[in-house]
Amino acid sequence: MDRRPVSIKDVADRAGVAIGTVSNVLNHPARVSAATRERVQGAIDELNFVRNDAARQLRAGQSRTIGLIVLDVGNPFFSSLARAAEDCASENGSTVVLGDSGQDVVREARYIDVFEQQRVQGMLISPVGDVGPRVEALRKRGMPVVLVDRVDPQRRCSSVSVDDIAGGYMAVRHLLEAGRRRIVFVGTKADYRQVADRLTGARQAVEEYDDAVLEVVEADAMTVLAGRDAGEEIARRRGSGLPDGIFCANDLLAIGVMQAVLLIRGLRIPEDLALIGYDDIDFSASTVVPLTTVRKPTELMGRTAVELLLEEIEAPASRRRQVIFDPELVERGSTTTSVRAGV
Amino acid sequence: MDRRPVSIKDVADRAGVAIGTVSNVLNHPARVSAATRERVQGAIDELNFVRNDAARQLRAGQSRTIGLIVLDVGNPFFSSLARAAEDCASENGSTVVLGDSGQDVVREARYIDVFEQQRVQGMLISPVGDVGPRVEALRKRGMPVVLVDRVDPQRRCSSVSVDDIAGGYMAVRHLLEAGRRRIVFVGTKADYRQVADRLTGARQAVEEYDDAVLEVVEADAMTVLAGRDAGEEIARRRGSGLPDGIFCANDLLAIGVMQAVLLIRGLRIPEDLALIGYDDIDFSASTVVPLTTVRKPTELMGRTAVELLLEEIEAPASRRRQVIFDPELVERGSTTTSVRAGV
DNA sequence: GCGTGTCTTTGAATCGTTTCAGTGACACGT
DNA sequence: ACGTGTCACTGAAACGATTCAAAGACACGC
């Protein structure tokens, strides 16, 4: 019904005080006497006053908002990272607004522009492709930026990321400790750095055991279907050609491999063949044999990203930090018969 | 390096014009001569001027931003709806900012407050629990609101939603047309309206066939595990107790049923047993036998929601509209041997 | 009665933009 | 030469909040 929104002046008139007093009630209640405070609060309630953030921000010169740009909100990694970031920000009196670039440089650029015009306190960006020029331009204008899931090669801004070499090492080490020696790594041609890192880690683990061998089976894509193709080929093997442990570069591949191995040849998992994936997607706990996998510490990454950003906002001259987390092993039934807890 | 951000005044000084002229270059380029326009543009580029959205908004009284609050960004339904909404909004010169309530009333309230303080043009809300009071308060202050995936019982605001009764009908009708007559519906006790609606639709379809029967099997939850339990019970049946078609209230249940049916008894899908789910989650195309399912027209819903909102923004007095979409059937291998296209 | 200090309240300046009435400049027709 | 119109540009008001110096009220001690 109200045609134009209620301003602080309307509240002041209603309560019979100066606008400065209303502002004090909102921002420094202690400075105002109890009687006045109540009267002003009453006027605010009666009029349904909602503070105009644009005006506040204009005057204050800074907002209480953090921009977060992710590659894909549909990806559980990013959605739970976003949630953790929101929690951490709200504990610090800020709000996170989310932009989904959908791996599209144009959309990414649009969100960066919008956030900059909105004068967000800072941005958390999981960048598409080349980070360099765009982020540098932002930094030149004094906008704090923290990279997520990617490191700035030039160390110009702080970042949080995961050590995939360590992850690959953990996965294969786990297979080896379970007594497996004929290990297969299933992954795409190492076009992604992440796949390459996981393989590197796998190699390091195998080298620690004299009697262990690692074979690489190439998949066409990082999908269930590609995993099933790879799995079928492997499942058909006889004798010593058949591995006793498989490490897949992600969970989708592992699920495909599991489907093939169980159905084509009726092998038992983990007795005949131990299987481990990577990422811990939602579905991995619900496969026929629950999938052991390696998980990024998502919540921790989200919180840390916000903390690094707030640090930089408060002390713009402080040194940039590259925080690299180790992933964690999630043991389920596909590698061990006795699992601690099935989720 | 720059300590305080560049303002329109700095640009004006640099270009040797009045600030009004700079504003015209930005907002009404046609009013400015080509020579001046270039000079101003040059100054903008040299100084890296970025427009202050707070000041613009304060003066203009309205932003170019739409707030979208979803129950769970991790849910593919919402993430693709969000993407469609963003696309539609950007075609109309607006930007969508996303808030994730995580099914939490407190977080939902916080986002509503933040968005209202930011004076967004309007909000799209997929509400947690009771819509009434909160939305009514918003509307009283003149804030346009469109509900997503839920109808306002009092028809106070526009909404986009899906007809789950029609969806349930389509699913079972599809089974019946494939010659199945002993149908089982797997779902939770009808606490969710959505589950109840799907069952209602299923009943309607069965009633059209004299020789068809519908049995309801209750699951403990809408999860893969609960589906597996239900599936095991069903798979152990002999003779006429064994259905030839199963409709699950969502895809997770269907996946669990599939796991049980294939492994426990080694039944063939779809020959012995046709199976259909609901939602078309990502994984449904990658199950051992690709899952036939029912999908909400997500993109259409996102675009329509934005259109309804823009309509209301432009004509606040216009009539509210409840748009209800029919879902669509996605045929895959779990119901028919010859599938058009396997995704 | 007067200076001092504390507590509350006031009112004006300010942030960076948009908008709009007004000022020149210049061309054109009469 | 003069009115009329068009076009490009100017300068100040306005948006709604925060902030801060200053004023007012009051009590207290001397």
Side-chain angles (χ1 to χ4, degrees):
Chain A
M1 298 307 130
D2 318 55
R3 212 59 312 243
R4 86 170 61 58
V6 181
S7 83
I8 206 174
K9 177 157 189 321
D10 301 322
V11 175
D13 291 350
R14 174 75 155 210
V17 299
I19 57 171
T21 303
V22 178
S23 177
N24 278 334
V25 171
L26 292 171
N27 302 295
H28 309 278
R31 289 189 198 159
V32 182
S33 72
T36 311
R37 202 186 312 143
E38 268 174 43
R39 202 145 37 88
V40 170
Q41 193 60 54
I44 288 176
D45 294 341
E46 281 177 57
L47 299 173
N48 278 314
F49 168 71
V50 176
R51 191 210 249 102
N52 184 325
D53 199 51
R56 174 231 255 289
Q57 202 186 121
L58 175 58
R59 183 60 237 252
Q62 213 205 21
S63 71
R64 301 296 300 164
T65 301
I66 292 173
L68 166 60
I69 304 176
V70 302
L71 291 177
D72 176 14
V73 277
N75 183 326
F77 168 66
F78 288 116
S79 55
S80 74
L81 183 131
R83 193 149 322 159
E86 281 160 23
D87 289 339
C88 184
S90 87
E91 285 162 21
N92 290 278
S94 293
T95 313
V96 169
V97 300
L98 198 52
D100 179 11
S101 72
Q103 314 235 29
D104 176 356
V105 192
V106 176
R107 297 174 65 126
E108 179 183 70
R110 208 174 58 226
Y111 274 111
I112 290 179
D113 288 347
V114 169
F115 285 158
E116 199 178 4
Q117 291 185 11
Q118 291 182 349
R119 300 286 192 273
V120 295
Q121 297 176 277
M123 302 189 203
L124 308 178
I125 306 182
S126 159
V128 183
D130 187 17
V131 204
R134 191 154 276 287
V135 171
E136 195 174 341
L138 277 179
R139 301 197 56 73
K140 204 185 290 172
R141 272 168 255 152
M143 173 69 70
V145 175
V146 170
L147 296 186
V148 174
D149 206 30
R150 166 112 34 141
V151 185
D152 175 19
Q154 286 146 42
R155 306 255 180 271
R156 281 182 210 268
C157 45
S158 296
S159 64
V160 295
S161 53
V162 168
D163 184 349
D164 276 316
I165 298 181
Y169 176 86
M170 288 168 66
V172 172
R173 173 94 196 185
H174 175 64
L175 292 175
L176 293 164
E177 282 171 354
R180 314 302 163 130
R181 289 296 178 272
R182 299 191 305 282
I183 312 291
V184 161
F185 173 86
V186 179
T188 51
K189 192 89 184 164
D191 41 357
Y192 290 113
R193 189 189 49 77
Q194 295 187 329
V195 176
D197 284 354
R198 290 166 198 183
L199 176 55
T200 302
R203 286 221 167 86
Q204 289 177 3
V206 167
E207 276 165 17
E208 293 180 0
Y209 283 69
D210 290 340
D211 54 345
V213 294
L214 181 75
E215 177 198 353
V216 176
V217 169
E218 200 175 302
D220 297 329
M222 302 283 273
T223 63
V224 174
L225 214 63
R228 208 182 295 162
D229 290 342
E232 283 179 13
E233 187 272 312
I234 295 169
R236 269 192 273 270
R237 298 180 183 177
R238 297 281 151 182
S240 66
L242 190 69
D244 53 8
I246 300 183
F247 169 40
C248 296
N250 78 358
D251 282 355
L252 293 174
L253 284 172
I255 290 168
V257 168
M258 183 185 293
Q259 290 175 346
V261 164
L262 292 177
L263 288 169
I264 299 280
R265 175 113 173 250
L267 291 172
R268 288 170 307 161
I269 294 178
E271 292 81 355
D272 303 322
L273 189 59
L275 181 63
I276 185 167
Y278 207 106
D279 284 348
D280 193 30
I281 63 177
D282 281 349
F283 205 75
S284 300
S286 310
T287 45
V288 178
V289 180
L291 185 67
T292 294
T293 185
V294 177
R295 166 168 58 197
K296 302 179 189 181
T298 322
E299 288 79 15
L300 194 54
M301 290 177 74
R303 301 193 78 90
T304 307
V306 171
E307 280 161 14
L308 288 176
L309 191 64
L310 293 175
E311 204 170 278
E312 184 172 339
I313 290 165
E314 276 165 34
S318 63
R319 229 166 58 74
R320 304 292 162 260
R321 287 162 50 192
Q322 325 289 321
V323 178
I324 299 175
F325 290 103
D326 274 355
E328 43 184 322
L329 189 71
V330 182
E331 281 183 53
R332 298 208 183 91
S334 70
T335 55
T336 37
T337 44
S338 63
V339 186
R340 310 170 198 165
V343 180
Chain B
M1 300 305 129
D2 319 54
R3 213 54 318 236
R4 88 170 60 59
V6 180
S7 81
I8 209 174
K9 177 157 190 319
D10 301 322
V11 175
D13 291 349
R14 173 73 155 211
V17 298
I19 57 173
T21 304
V22 177
S23 176
N24 279 332
V25 170
L26 293 171
N27 302 297
H28 309 278
R31 289 189 197 159
V32 182
S33 73
T36 311
R37 201 185 314 142
E38 270 174 42
R39 202 145 37 88
V40 171
Q41 193 59 54
I44 288 176
D45 294 341
E46 281 178 56
L47 298 174
N48 278 316
F49 168 71
V50 175
R51 190 211 251 102
N52 184 326
D53 201 50
R56 175 230 254 289
Q57 204 186 117
L58 175 59
R59 181 61 237 244
Q62 214 205 20
S63 71
R64 302 296 301 163
T65 301
I66 291 173
L68 167 59
I69 304 176
V70 301
L71 291 177
D72 175 14
V73 277
N75 183 326
F77 167 67
F78 289 116
S79 57
S80 74
L81 184 133
R83 193 154 318 162
E86 282 161 22
D87 288 340
C88 184
S90 88
E91 285 163 20
N92 288 279
S94 293
T95 312
V96 169
V97 300
L98 198 52
D100 180 10
S101 72
Q103 315 234 33
D104 177 355
V105 191
V106 177
R107 296 175 66 128
E108 180 184 69
R110 208 175 57 226
Y111 274 112
I112 290 179
D113 288 347
V114 169
F115 286 157
E116 199 178 5
Q117 291 185 11
Q118 291 182 349
R119 299 286 192 272
V120 295
Q121 298 176 275
M123 303 188 203
L124 308 178
I125 306 182
S126 159
V128 183
D130 187 18
V131 203
R134 192 155 275 288
V135 171
E136 195 174 341
L138 278 178
R139 302 197 55 73
K140 204 186 288 174
R141 272 167 255 155
M143 172 69 69
V145 174
V146 171
L147 296 186
V148 174
D149 206 30
R150 164 109 38 136
V151 186
D152 175 18
Q154 286 147 43
R155 306 255 180 273
R156 281 182 211 269
C157 47
S158 297
S159 64
V160 296
S161 54
V162 168
D163 185 349
D164 275 315
I165 298 181
Y169 176 85
M170 289 167 66
V172 172
R173 173 96 196 182
H174 175 65
L175 293 175
L176 293 164
E177 282 170 356
R180 314 302 163 128
R181 290 295 179 273
R182 298 191 307 282
I183 312 292
V184 161
F185 173 86
V186 179
T188 50
K189 191 87 185 167
D191 42 356
Y192 289 114
R193 190 190 47 78
Q194 296 187 330
V195 175
D197 285 354
R198 289 165 199 183
L199 176 55
T200 302
R203 287 222 165 88
Q204 289 176 2
V206 168
E207 277 165 18
E208 293 178 1
Y209 284 69
D210 291 340
D211 54 344
V213 294
L214 181 73
E215 178 197 353
V216 176
V217 170
E218 198 175 303
D220 296 331
M222 303 282 273
T223 62
V224 174
L225 214 62
R228 209 182 295 162
D229 290 342
E232 283 179 13
E233 187 272 312
I234 296 169
R236 267 193 272 270
R237 299 180 183 179
R238 296 282 151 182
S240 64
L242 190 69
D244 52 9
I246 299 183
F247 168 40
C248 295
N250 79 358
D251 282 356
L252 293 175
L253 283 171
I255 290 168
V257 168
M258 183 184 294
Q259 291 175 346
V261 164
L262 292 176
L263 288 169
I264 299 278
R265 173 111 174 251
L267 292 171
R268 289 169 306 162
I269 295 179
E271 292 83 353
D272 302 322
L273 189 60
L275 182 63
I276 185 166
Y278 206 107
D279 285 348
D280 193 30
I281 63 176
D282 281 350
F283 204 76
S284 300
S286 309
T287 46
V288 178
V289 179
L291 185 67
T292 295
T293 187
V294 176
R295 165 168 58 197
K296 300 178 190 182
T298 323
E299 288 79 13
L300 193 55
M301 290 176 74
R303 302 192 78 91
T304 307
V306 171
E307 280 161 15
L308 288 176
L309 191 64
L310 293 174
E311 205 172 277
E312 184 172 340
I313 290 165
E314 275 164 36
S318 64
R319 229 167 60 73
R320 304 292 162 260
R321 287 162 51 193
Q322 325 290 322
V323 179
I324 298 176
F325 290 104
D326 274 354
E328 43 184 322
L329 189 71
V330 183
E331 281 184 52
R332 299 208 183 90
S334 71
T335 55
T336 38
T337 44
S338 63
V339 185
R340 308 169 197 165
V343 182

